Amino acid sequence: FSPQSLLLLRPTLLLYPLPQTSRRVPPPAPVMASSVSLVDCPTPTPSAMAKTNAVLVPSRNVHAGVLQETHLTSHEFLLECPRGAYSIARTCGTTAIPEFQFHMNRLATSFQTMCEEEAIPTSHPLRQEFRDAERVEAAILPPLRRLMQTMTNRIPKGSVEFKTSFVLALPSMASSQTPDDCVFIQMEQYRRTMPRDPCRVVVRLGGRAHAEAKDSQWVRDRSKLKQGIPPGVEDVVMVSEDKMLEGLSSNFFGVRKGTLHTARDGVLAGTIRQLVLDQCQERNIPVVLEAPRLCELDTFQEFFITSTSRLVLPIRELFIDCGEGPLSCSPAQLTSPPPLSRSGSFTSVVCTIPLPKDATQFYAQTLTFEDHPVAQHMRKCVEAALAATSTSIIP
């Protein structure tokens, strides 16, 4: 991971220390836009997106950084960064981040857990430097503020929102053993309006190797579970031992007789998942911290996923694909499924992995869910809670 490798990528905004001889790129003219909801900002115009797509900043010498253009997405950024603990947040009103302390805690906990797995002693300088959320925040806030200030100088506050990615590189992967060389931050402008319409997901066998830590290696590992997924599918929900755990980039909930069900073990708990649980507690909505089981699908009335980019998104169609490799059914079958209902009959497709007998009636089937009252209610609750749980990054 080096400045030279990044500068060869397609242009957008890159904040990185460069030699004194480098010429500053003149700032683009401000993009004019009217104020809109903090939660549902419109997709920017192509010209605005070209000027304000993404910003990447390693914290080292951040105050000497100069702007260069790059088109790094959040996914590409995580692939380019050295392996480490990571967290992805969204902005609220451009300059605030909901559940900011949650992200700092998760970074600190994940970093220490990964260091334990790497047999890095607790006396190591970087383990001491990032030993708790307070120290992680002290390392991240200065570059994050500069990054955010750069964006607010170019975009009217509240007109767009950003996906913000943080990485703490492992000592074994960092270019040096100083904190400044281990902290990486990127802000990417959301490319689309936040999805609201009920979505389609694919269910596949899988799961995280180490769900207790948010490890950037997962960004590489999960790619094989995406193979053969056609356009129009929002996420892949992973199943292990008949338990529907989580999506590749989301948490997963089922609703049965007014009670929410979501996995406690074997998943990485996200910030929006926590907001949903908090809202349920405030409103006395019952929650069972157990994963919905595939063999009990017909007992659930609705499902939804949660993430920073989606908030709460109802699921209209579950396609159960538990074969090996690419989709057991062809993409054509998935993109144009028969009009099935939860109580309807299904056409079986042969699966190549032995599965529990009491769940085989659902494998390689498409289940549809037309009504989503609980998911829609939880979305409204989370939207209302976003601003209240946000930390202002720029004083």
Side-chain angles (χ1 to χ4, degrees):
F1 185 89
S2 65
Q4 290 77 18
S5 66
L6 287 176
L7 293 175
L8 294 175
L9 297 172
R10 314 184 291 281
T12 285
L13 283 178
L14 170 68
L15 190 55
Y16 206 97
L18 294 176
Q20 294 295 324
T21 56
S22 297
R23 180 174 60 88
R24 288 184 179 270
V25 177
V31 180
M32 301 305 295
S34 58
S35 277
V36 295
S37 164
L38 300 183
V39 172
D40 199 12
C41 291
T43 303
T45 62
S47 61
M49 288 167 56
K51 295 175 181 176
T52 59
N53 176 26
V55 179
L56 168 69
V57 53
S59 70
R60 183 184 183 188
N61 300 327
V62 61
H63 298 295
V66 290
L67 288 172
Q68 292 291 328
E69 293 189 349
T70 181
H71 273 307
L72 281 176
T73 65
S74 174
H75 177 76
E76 292 166 339
F77 164 76
L78 293 172
L79 291 176
E80 286 286 334
C81 279
R83 182 186 167 210
Y86 81 104
S87 194
I88 299 177
R90 66 172 295 111
T91 60
C92 181
T94 308
T95 60
I97 292 181
E99 299 287 346
F100 184 67
Q101 288 303 316
F102 183 103
H103 291 286
M104 299 300 101
N105 276 307
R106 182 160 65 182
L107 282 169
T109 302
S110 296
F111 183 81
Q112 295 297 328
T113 299
M114 293 170 67
C115 285
E116 288 286 345
E117 293 172 354
E118 296 276 320
I120 298 170
T122 55
S123 59
H124 191 283
L126 288 178
R127 288 201 66 176
Q128 289 296 309
E129 185 68 30
F130 302 132
R131 65 176 179 264
D132 54 37
E134 184 178 354
R135 286 180 172 264
V136 170
E137 181 178 340
I140 282 178
L141 268 181
L144 177 59
R145 281 177 174 153
R146 173 167 169 82
L147 204 59
M148 201 168 276
Q149 190 65 62
T150 299
M151 302 311 294
T152 56
N153 288 342
R154 297 160 188 273
I155 303 173
K157 182 178 178 180
S159 61
V160 295
E161 301 295 358
F162 294 91
K163 178 188 289 188
T164 307
S165 303
F166 309 99
V167 176
L168 295 182
L170 284 174
S172 57
M173 300 291 178
S175 58
S176 78
Q177 300 302 294
T178 61
D180 283 348
D181 286 327
C182 294
V183 177
F184 299 85
I185 307 173
Q186 186 240 20
M187 292 180 69
E188 177 192 359
Q189 182 172 308
Y190 280 114
R191 286 292 207 257
R192 60 176 183 174
T193 56
M194 191 179 298
R196 288 181 174 274
D197 294 336
C199 66
R200 312 177 74 185
V201 301
V202 170
V203 178
R204 284 183 163 178
L205 296 174
R208 295 177 188 263
H210 302 287
E212 65 276 7
K214 197 167 176 71
D215 184 346
S216 62
Q217 180 61 35
W218 171 243
V219 179
R220 299 170 178 85
D221 294 344
R222 69 188 181 189
S223 59
K224 57 180 175 288
L225 286 170
K226 294 182 177 180
Q227 293 177 4
I229 299 298
V233 172
E234 187 67 31
D235 204 357
V236 175
V237 172
M238 296 177 289
V239 175
S240 178
E241 298 179 350
D242 199 42
K243 297 176 182 178
M244 304 176 74
L245 298 174
E246 62 179 338
L248 299 181
S249 60
S250 65
N251 288 117
F252 179 75
F253 286 80
V255 181
R256 180 163 56 194
K257 297 180 179 179
T259 297
L260 272 62
H261 294 250
T262 189
R264 172 171 50 192
D265 302 321
V267 303
L268 188 74
T271 54
I272 305 302
R273 173 188 180 273
Q274 188 58 49
L275 274 177
V276 168
L277 296 180
D278 291 344
Q279 294 302 306
C280 287
Q281 185 175 12
E282 288 183 15
R283 291 164 170 76
N284 295 317
I285 299 173
V287 175
V288 174
L289 293 179
E290 294 179 0
R293 302 187 74 90
L294 204 56
C295 64
E296 299 175 347
L297 277 180
D298 58 348
T299 67
F300 286 86
Q301 287 75 52
E302 57 180 296
F303 293 96
F304 61 87
I305 54 176
T306 63
S307 71
T308 55
S309 60
R310 306 174 182 94
L311 294 189
V312 177
L313 192 61
I315 294 173
R316 183 180 184 276
E317 293 181 351
L318 279 172
F319 183 85
I320 317 300
D321 176 63
C322 293
E324 290 181 339
L327 286 172
S328 302
C329 297
S330 69
Q333 286 175 280
L334 180 57
T335 54
S336 302
L340 302 175
S341 67
R342 291 175 55 248
S343 58
S345 59
F346 301 102
T347 302
S348 296
V349 177
V350 176
C351 293
T352 56
I353 296 178
L355 300 166
K357 291 182 179 180
D358 56 354
T360 52
Q361 61 175 317
F362 295 111
Y363 293 140
Q365 315 297 347
T366 299
L367 281 74
T368 61
F369 301 83
E370 298 294 345
D371 300 317
H372 318 93
V374 175
Q376 291 167 353
H377 175 66
M378 294 314 306
R379 183 184 181 96
K380 292 178 181 178
C381 294
V382 168
E383 287 178 349
L386 275 182
T389 62
S390 293
T391 297
S392 180
I393 302 303
I394 299 178

